[in-house]
Amino acid sequence: MLLLQQLINGLMLGGLYVMVAVAFTLIIGMLNFLNFTIPALFMVAAMMMWASMTGNLPFGNETLIGIFGEANMWIAGIIVAIVVVSIASLIIERFTYRYMKAKYGDATEHALPLVSSLGFLIMFEHMVISAYGSDPLTVISPFGDATFSIGSILFSYPQVISLILSLGIVFTLHYIIRRTKLGRALRAIAERPETATLMGVDVLRIVPIVYVITGLLCAISGVLFTINYTTVDAYIGDTVATVAIAGMVLGGLGNVWGAVIGGLIVGILEVFSIYIVGADFVKVPIWGLLLIILIFKPTGLFGHSAIGKGKF
């Protein structure tokens, strides 16, 4: 039963990694570069959630307390995190894709967006450090120790909600990509942006939507992480994104459902690694498994040899 409990805990943790892994997958699949601002957006969302719930917002908490009341500041934190991260995503899109594309054209593939996104990551981290320091910050979960049990297996309500919500968001995203006009435009850009433009797809209008979607995934996962684990810091995005990248590559670059499976696998593996060998060596089994799989299947479990072909 103890091993089954660890498996459940791993699935719950993996649910958070799923959304970050899918965020990486969307950017790589659509625009074919690794967006280093994703860990920064996750961290900003987590910090905004913490700041809202503890009265440490840069612009003050009085207005939000007047609207939501002190008992419901976690709801205000969700809204603040989503709004801030969405705006940040649009700013990042402007300077990692739109401005670079307009000024340098094809020279932006793929180093300039990658380097500029890395610059945003460093900038956001140091802005947070300047405001709140680099030490871990804690918050009291609005749900307390809300748990239920099935037999001898213990479940946390926030963790179950997080897993269900993350999978629900991925299902919704998959439906949008496969069944809607926006999804067809996104898949056309993923296949070949130049051809999509010739077919009438407004690439410069669609790409910001990709950034906002990835920002929303990061915001929701950052909020859920804060509620579930109650401890955040300026580098929490790096920690989570490192594991999420492993899950994304494990599942297969550019494959949304591969990112889901990969995220759940690394969540389970992390929990079992902590249980068996301790937290100090938790990254060794994750990246060791990744390296072994890449040796025998370089595209990951469900990946394609060509990142831009038929992945959605």
Side-chain angles (χ1 to χ4, degrees):
M1 282 299 180
L2 186 57
L3 292 179
L4 182 58
Q5 181 69 67
Q6 298 301 327
L7 176 62
I8 297 298
N9 293 341
L11 285 173
M12 302 305 162
L13 177 60
L16 296 176
Y17 291 144
V18 161
M19 284 189 279
V20 181
V22 170
F24 275 113
T25 296
L26 282 178
I27 290 292
I28 287 181
M30 299 295 177
L31 305 178
N32 204 15
F33 82 95
L34 185 61
N35 184 2
F36 279 112
T37 61
I38 287 174
L41 295 175
F42 178 96
M43 179 271 296
V44 168
M47 294 301 298
M48 288 297 98
M49 187 67 178
W50 168 84
S52 298
M53 294 175 65
T54 58
N56 288 287
L57 286 172
F59 48 82
N61 290 58
E62 291 78 12
T63 301
L64 292 176
I65 291 176
I67 297 172
F68 294 94
E70 291 189 10
N72 295 316
M73 282 304 290
W74 65 276
I75 300 176
I78 295 173
I79 296 172
V80 169
I82 289 175
V83 170
V84 170
V85 169
S86 296
I87 293 172
S89 296
L90 291 173
I91 294 172
I92 290 165
E93 185 273 336
R94 174 68 64 173
F95 292 102
T96 61
Y97 183 86
R98 187 180 299 254
Y99 174 78
M100 295 293 183
K101 192 77 172 177
K103 187 169 183 179
Y104 299 108
D106 291 339
T108 61
E109 295 185 352
H110 305 279
L112 289 180
L114 186 148
V115 173
S116 59
S117 69
L118 181 59
F120 273 106
L121 168 63
I122 295 171
M123 183 178 69
F124 283 146
E125 285 183 346
H126 284 272
M127 288 172 63
V128 169
I129 291 172
S130 298
Y132 302 118
S134 59
D135 293 332
L137 304 168
T138 59
V139 67
I140 298 174
S141 173
F143 300 100
D145 296 325
T147 58
F148 67 96
S149 60
I150 299 177
S152 60
I153 306 301
L154 190 66
F155 295 85
S156 165
Y157 278 110
Q159 288 181 328
V160 172
I161 292 171
S162 297
L163 179 61
I164 294 173
L165 185 59
S166 64
L167 294 178
I169 289 173
V170 174
F171 271 105
T172 302
L173 184 60
H174 178 74
Y175 175 82
I176 292 173
I177 291 174
R178 299 299 303 180
R179 301 294 183 182
T180 66
K181 183 178 179 180
L182 172 62
R184 288 192 294 271
L186 290 172
R187 284 184 283 125
I189 293 172
E191 293 289 342
R192 193 175 294 275
E194 296 80 7
T195 304
T197 301
L198 294 175
M199 295 173 62
V201 176
D202 189 348
V203 175
L204 292 182
R205 184 176 64 86
I206 297 297
V207 168
I209 297 176
V210 178
Y211 275 82
V212 170
I213 291 173
T214 58
L216 289 175
L217 289 169
C218 293
I220 294 170
S221 57
V223 164
L224 293 174
F225 183 92
T226 306
I227 291 174
N228 279 291
Y229 298 100
T230 68
T231 301
V232 299
D233 59 58
Y235 300 109
I236 191 65
D238 295 345
T239 303
V240 172
T242 299
V243 180
I245 288 175
M248 174 194 65
V249 178
L250 179 65
L253 286 175
N255 188 298
V256 170
W257 290 110
V260 172
I261 299 301
L264 294 176
I265 288 174
V266 296
I268 294 170
L269 189 58
E270 179 173 341
V271 168
F272 273 101
S273 299
I274 294 173
Y275 173 66
I276 296 172
V277 298
D280 292 339
F281 297 94
V282 67
K283 296 294 188 297
V284 176
I286 293 174
W287 287 92
L289 174 64
L290 178 64
L291 291 173
I292 292 171
I293 288 180
L294 290 180
I295 289 172
F296 296 99
K297 200 174 189 306
T299 57
L301 296 177
F302 306 100
H304 299 270
S305 58
I307 296 303
K309 305 299 179 185
K311 53 203 166 296
F312 298 117

